[in-house]
Amino acid sequence: MITDDFDERTIANMEVALDRACERFPEQLASHEARKRIAAQILECARRGDRTLKGLTDAAMLAATLISSRKIRSHQPSLNGFQRMIH
């Protein structure tokens, strides 16, 4: 269990980091799956030894940015025809 691996301060930092990332991209990260993926990156960061709020938040923001950029790209219409017209 996660509470066995980390102290209370680290767990609190992990929760804050997750909340900050999800607040930054609320529409793209509304799903449970997206939050799980960010949480996994936070856990990985903590297991590597960086348990600071800044380190955990940086890991969360990076994961959130990657997830949200993929979601945005997957919802954009193709511009191939337009790009051919301007080149």
Side-chain angles (χ1 to χ4, degrees):
M1 195 166 178
I2 192 170
T3 55
D4 296 336
D5 296 335
F6 304 106
D7 62 22
E8 289 180 28
R9 179 182 212 91
T10 301
I11 292 170
N13 286 345
M14 293 165 82
E15 290 173 356
V16 170
L18 179 62
D19 288 342
R20 286 181 178 177
C22 291
E23 287 171 1
R24 179 120 186 229
F25 304 99
E27 290 178 30
Q28 295 89 346
L29 304 176
S31 75
H32 180 70
E33 185 61 34
R35 290 180 66 90
K36 278 178 35 180
R37 292 175 64 194
I38 295 167
Q41 293 303 308
I42 294 169
L43 274 170
E44 184 178 316
C45 179
R47 286 188 176 126
R48 284 192 315 258
D50 189 350
R51 299 177 179 182
T52 64
L53 181 56
K54 181 183 181 338
L56 297 169
T57 300
D58 288 348
M61 290 297 192
L62 177 60
T65 301
L66 292 172
I67 292 167
S68 64
S69 68
R70 286 183 194 134
K71 288 187 181 251
I72 290 169
R73 274 189 266 133
S74 70
H75 287 81
Q76 287 181 341
S78 174
L79 298 176
N80 289 338
F82 178 73
Q83 289 173 340
R84 282 188 212 119
M85 288 175 52
I86 60 173
H87 284 102

